[in-house]
Amino acid sequence: MDDLIRRAAKDLAAARNVAALTGAGISIESGIPPFRGKGGLWERYDPMEFAIDALMRDPAKVWKLFVKELKEPLDRAKPNEGHKGLVKLEARDKLKTIITQNIDGLHQAAGNTDVIEYHGTFAWQRCMDCHKKYETRKVDISEIPPRCECGGILRPNIVFFGETIPAQAIRRSRQAAADCDLMLVVGTSAVVQPAAMIPGIAKDNGAKIVEINPERTPLTDDISDYLIMGGAGEVMNRIVAAMD
Ligand code: OAD
């Protein structure tokens, strides 16, 4: 791993425009469970239980899951060394944009400024009837499901299975992928589309692709230049230290 850390530090030092694509793996060290793999949400639930149809059918039941599995872990979570490493790369004027599949807001909490929330954010709710938006931390959840002042039911401002990615997130991500000369792909299983196509766009435009993940992914052989096998926190710390 030492060789790959040095290689990444060198590649980052030479890069002028770095983008990062992040997934649930970067937030594991903050106590937020991933979707796939050991302890993952999809090990305990059928993803269809979190789908928009399920919410429409039985809002109280699905909201109880949101509170237990999303709101409570997210309320407790703080940015970890992986998030902080990306802040250090922005401070060195290397990292320009983060495209995250995460809905936890931890990149912004850590201090990164340009974060594209590809799958939306749990920090906001919106009314399913009148579309008024509410900050999640200000929403009264003493009654489930929480409601808008118009009486409509609130839903998290996240992208559920079967829903489309916000057009602006798609546009901005494509641009960031096309513009970067190095893309860090951190903590994503890279199996959910269209997010998993983003590193390919970067590669087609000449960028180096550096993966950080304790496991191999579908990108590892065909798209990534190399994979640094390890947890995001430790690997980011070592890369930044090697750059100094
Ligand atoms: P996954 O849960 O699919 O994958 C998590 C990845 O993190 C795996 O590749 C792990 O090997 C890796 N990992 C584990 N520990 C790690 C660590 N300490 N540091 C770095 N990586 C680690 O999460 P995503 O790829 O983000 O979509 O999932 C993509 C989408 O699937 C999510 O955004 C969500 C889900 O369905 C929607 O909700 C629309």
Side-chain angles (χ1 to χ4, degrees):
M1 171 142 118
D2 287 355
D3 282 356
L4 288 179
I5 296 281
R6 274 194 296 275
R7 183 171 169 192
K10 221 169 127 198
D11 285 342
L12 281 163
R16 279 179 303 127
N17 181 332
V18 177
L21 171 69
T22 65
I26 198 169
S27 293
I28 288 178
E29 293 164 44
S30 296
I32 300 176
F35 296 92
R36 295 166 189 81
K38 203 166 146 274
L41 217 51
W42 302 156
E43 201 181 61
R44 287 176 287 132
Y45 299 98
D46 177 343
M48 289 306 128
E49 289 180 68
F50 279 82
I52 192 70
D53 293 352
L55 182 64
M56 305 273 214
R57 238 183 353 259
D58 193 345
K61 182 176 165 205
V62 179
W63 255 103
K64 276 187 199 141
L65 294 182
F66 288 162
V67 171
K68 178 164 173 263
E69 300 293 349
L70 301 177
K71 187 170 186 327
E72 287 176 355
L74 264 48
D75 281 350
R76 283 193 299 265
K78 295 203 169 29
N80 64 55
E81 295 301 308
H83 300 104
K84 290 178 195 164
L86 293 180
V87 175
K88 289 177 191 154
L89 290 185
E90 180 174 327
R92 282 166 170 72
D93 206 22
K94 295 289 175 188
L95 181 67
K96 308 292 181 200
T97 303
I98 297 176
I99 305 157
T100 188
Q101 297 163 86
N102 301 342
I103 57 167
D104 53 35
L106 288 179
H107 288 303
Q108 296 93 321
N112 280 114
T113 49
D114 188 20
V115 182
I116 302 172
E117 294 178 306
Y118 205 75
H119 290 159
T121 173
F122 195 78
W124 288 85
Q125 306 290 323
R126 67 174 194 263
C127 173
M128 292 210 271
D129 289 346
C130 74
H131 309 297
K132 182 169 174 181
K133 285 192 172 183
Y134 293 86
E135 249 186 290
T136 305
R137 63 187 177 90
K138 293 186 186 156
V139 169
D140 176 12
I141 55 156
S142 58
E143 279 195 33
I144 293 285
R147 288 181 185 272
C148 175
E149 59 192 15
C150 81
I153 291 169
L154 297 185
R155 58 158 286 175
N157 207 26
I158 62 180
V159 176
F160 286 98
F161 276 117
E163 292 189 315
T164 49
I165 310 295
Q168 204 202 5
I170 294 198
R171 251 192 339 265
R172 288 217 53 233
S173 305
R174 275 197 199 133
Q175 194 66 52
D179 288 348
C180 71
D181 51 10
L182 189 153
M183 179 171 276
L184 291 173
V185 181
V186 190
T188 177
S189 58
V191 294
V192 173
Q193 298 294 359
M197 276 189 296
I198 294 170
I201 299 173
K203 187 166 184 85
D204 288 346
N205 283 277
K208 283 201 169 116
I209 312 295
V210 181
E211 249 192 307
I212 300 173
N213 197 312
E215 311 272 344
R216 299 172 67 79
T217 76
L219 302 175
T220 307
D221 285 336
D222 294 336
I223 303 286
S224 300
D225 287 78
Y226 50 100
L227 163 68
I228 307 180
M229 270 192 152
E234 187 202 346
V235 171
M236 285 308 306
N237 271 339
R238 292 186 60 191
I239 292 175
V240 173
M243 287 173 80
D244 294 337

